Amino acid sequence: MVDVTSYAPRAVATTQISQAAGRLGVDDAIVEKLRHPKRIMEVSIPTKMDDGSVKVFTGYRVQHNMDRGPAKGGIRYHPQVTMDEVIALSMWMTCKCAVVNIPYGGAKGGVICNPKEMSDGEVERMTRRFTSELIDFIGPEKDIPAPDVYTTPQTMAWILDTYSMNVGHLVPGVVTGKPVEIGGSLGRNEATGRGCAIVAREALKTLRIGVDGATVAIQGFGNAGSVTGRVLQSMGAKVIAVSDSRGGVYSPTGLDAAAAEAHKEESGSVVGLKGCSAITNEELLTLDCDVLVPAALENSINTSNAADIRARVIAEAANGPTTPDAQTIIDEKGIFVVPDILANAGGVTVSYFEWVQDSARFFWTEEEVNQRLESIMVNSYKEVLAEAERSNCNMRDAAFNVAVARVSKAVALRGIYP
Ligand code: GLU
């Protein structure tokens, strides 16, 4: 087994940005600025637990860049959260927002905790105290959190309420991915998966593979993975395997993504889905399929498995699922990768729509949201593909070229203050 911990995500993200800047001939001073996050916050979050004890959690919020707009990015709750990881994720958010050309910088947050072992009350109190510790630094014009791994619309509702109670009036634009009843957008919950399915379809088109009957394997069946499966299936693709942290299921003739979602909702896992055989996460990654969707955590595609991957397309619903060494192997094998900062940008794109709707106090239909998402995803895909052709590079390098060109142009125009 390869030691995946040797891929410190911050170093990977910093290298990706620096290398793109190098290819583009960006001024050294600008590159140096982009290598460093604007603001790194670490806070202690004392939380009253149900048994009367107080537990102190550690939380992070990193604002990487705000040159193109307010900082934007999710908050994850996970036992393996590290500051290094949150910094990397904030850098990827800056690039992601630039790839799809929405007016945001990048941020990310994380709390080291295991929400699966906490009651709703404990998660609520932790979330409210975390919000309160960050209150001077977030806001619709400053930094706008959203859901990420193991955070939900309900988590966003608690952040919104804590912030709004403190300033004295409802501020819907302080978070996105909140419930529609309090200013959320229709289509936001499905947006990451829908966007990923759209670019996977475009990638198949590029390779002249019909989406009808195309086989799909999905590692990680949370919000992003499950919706990617459901939408690809509605486009005619066949989902042949899905997995989560407890294991996976496989059916060569195709399984029903909605049934897998229902089974996971009921039992907590996709494991045991009727009509399927059991499969491990590692086996799923190396299945013969048209589209592989890594939708779990960082580094799941690494040098221990990259050589065995048999997919034609990898559509990265997760952030940072492929290590740089694995990318080299995948390039040699001729596998077409739609990189994370493009493939999962549908989530933040509809977050942007939500924030626009909140500030206008005027809400769109779901069709309108989905149509605008479709057009941004398809245009961004085409732009990145054109850059890959122009620069004769893979889609990841092309996406970073597009992103870093936009961000560095903004930095150059604004100049270094004072
Ligand atoms: N957490 C999501 C991501 O990684 C969404 C971020 C957002 O909507 O701000 O892109």
Side-chain angles (χ1 to χ4, degrees):
M1 251 317 251
V2 67
D3 177 18
V4 293
T5 56
S6 63
Y7 291 101
R10 178 185 188 170
V12 172
T14 308
T15 305
Q16 286 166 330
I17 290 176
S18 309
Q19 286 179 344
R23 291 190 293 271
L24 298 163
V26 172
D27 188 81
D28 283 348
I30 293 174
V31 187
E32 196 52 19
K33 180 179 176 190
L34 297 179
R35 290 169 62 87
H36 295 88
K38 177 183 172 68
R39 189 176 280 135
I40 299 176
M41 292 166 276
E42 175 178 326
V43 296
S44 297
I45 312 167
T47 303
K48 285 188 193 126
M49 305 304 278
D50 291 346
D51 65 4
S53 68
V54 170
K55 199 163 168 183
V56 181
F57 296 95
T58 300
Y60 305 104
R61 184 75 183 167
V62 177
Q63 297 165 345
H64 170 247
N65 183 270
M66 297 192 177
D67 280 295
R68 300 179 62 258
K72 187 83 190 82
I75 292 177
R76 66 172 57 178
Y77 289 171
H78 196 275
Q80 266 129 40
V81 161
T82 65
M83 191 201 276
D84 183 279
E85 175 195 35
V86 176
I87 291 171
L89 291 162
S90 74
M91 297 174 111
W92 287 328
M93 284 309 305
T94 300
C95 296
K96 194 184 297 187
C97 294
V99 169
V100 288
N101 210 2
I102 56 176
Y104 286 139
K108 200 80 177 196
V111 177
I112 307 168
C113 65
N114 189 349
K116 287 184 177 176
E117 288 172 1
M118 294 164 71
S119 71
D120 285 353
E122 289 169 343
V123 176
E124 174 176 351
R125 291 189 291 276
M126 183 186 78
T127 300
R128 287 185 181 277
R129 181 61 186 254
F130 185 39
T131 308
S132 159
E133 296 297 336
L134 295 176
I135 206 127
D136 291 335
F137 299 97
I138 60 172
E141 305 300 334
K142 295 182 185 174
D143 179 2
I144 308 144
D148 196 75
V149 175
Y150 298 157
T151 51
T152 63
Q154 176 63 74
T155 322
M156 297 306 114
W158 290 325
I159 296 176
L160 171 150
D161 185 66
T162 305
Y163 185 88
S164 299
M165 291 308 290
N166 272 273
V167 300
H169 56 91
L170 174 65
V171 184
V174 67
V175 285
T176 58
K178 57 194 168 286
V180 287
E181 294 80 359
I182 48 174
S185 176
L186 294 168
R188 173 61 186 87
N189 215 25
E190 291 78 36
T192 308
R194 180 173 297 279
C196 187
I198 291 168
V199 293
R201 181 198 68 205
E202 293 302 302
L204 289 170
K205 219 184 269 176
T206 302
L207 301 185
R208 301 189 197 292
I209 302 171
V211 67
D212 205 25
T215 51
V216 180
I218 301 170
Q219 190 223 18
F221 211 61
N223 173 281
S226 61
V227 178
T228 304
R230 204 199 312 144
V231 177
L232 277 171
Q233 189 176 301
S234 75
M235 292 170 176
K238 199 164 72 173
V239 178
I240 58 165
V242 299
S243 69
D244 55 38
S245 57
R246 298 198 207 157
V249 288
Y250 171 57
S251 166
T253 55
L255 54 85
D256 180 27
E261 265 178 79
H263 183 80
K264 186 173 167 83
E265 179 73 23
E266 218 180 273
S267 70
S269 172
V270 295
V271 171
L273 181 67
K274 266 215 290 285
C276 299
S277 49
I279 188 173
T280 65
N281 268 285
E282 281 297 303
E283 286 165 344
L284 180 143
L285 290 172
T286 58
L287 280 178
D288 186 7
C289 61
D290 294 308
V291 184
L292 174 64
V293 182
L297 295 173
E298 297 89 32
N299 299 340
S300 53
I301 299 179
N302 53 63
T303 49
S304 78
N305 52 33
D308 299 322
I309 291 180
R310 287 184 285 165
R312 256 63 75 200
V313 170
I314 299 176
E316 295 182 338
N319 290 307
T322 307
T323 67
D325 288 351
Q327 175 75 50
T328 308
I329 297 169
I330 283 163
D331 284 340
E332 280 161 11
K333 291 171 67 91
I335 298 170
F336 189 92
V337 179
V338 190
D340 48 5
I341 58 168
L342 171 62
N344 68 36
V348 75
T349 299
V350 177
S351 277
Y352 166 58
F353 299 161
E354 180 172 329
W355 178 78
V356 167
Q357 293 171 78
D358 288 336
S359 67
R361 304 289 197 271
F362 180 76
F363 291 87
W364 311 349
T365 64
E366 192 163 357
E367 290 68 44
E368 211 170 337
V369 169
N370 288 345
Q371 262 164 28
R372 288 182 194 263
L373 173 64
E374 162 89 23
S375 101
I376 288 187
M377 294 309 296
V378 171
N379 290 337
S380 306
Y381 175 88
K382 286 184 177 157
E383 241 175 309
V384 172
L385 183 64
E387 170 59 17
E389 281 161 4
R390 191 168 42 240
S391 298
N392 192 26
C393 63
N394 65 27
M395 289 287 280
R396 190 182 313 280
D397 288 351
F400 276 97
N401 285 358
V402 170
V404 172
R406 283 193 180 125
V407 179
S408 32
K409 183 80 197 184
V411 175
L413 285 166
R414 290 183 58 166
I416 302 293
Y417 177 87

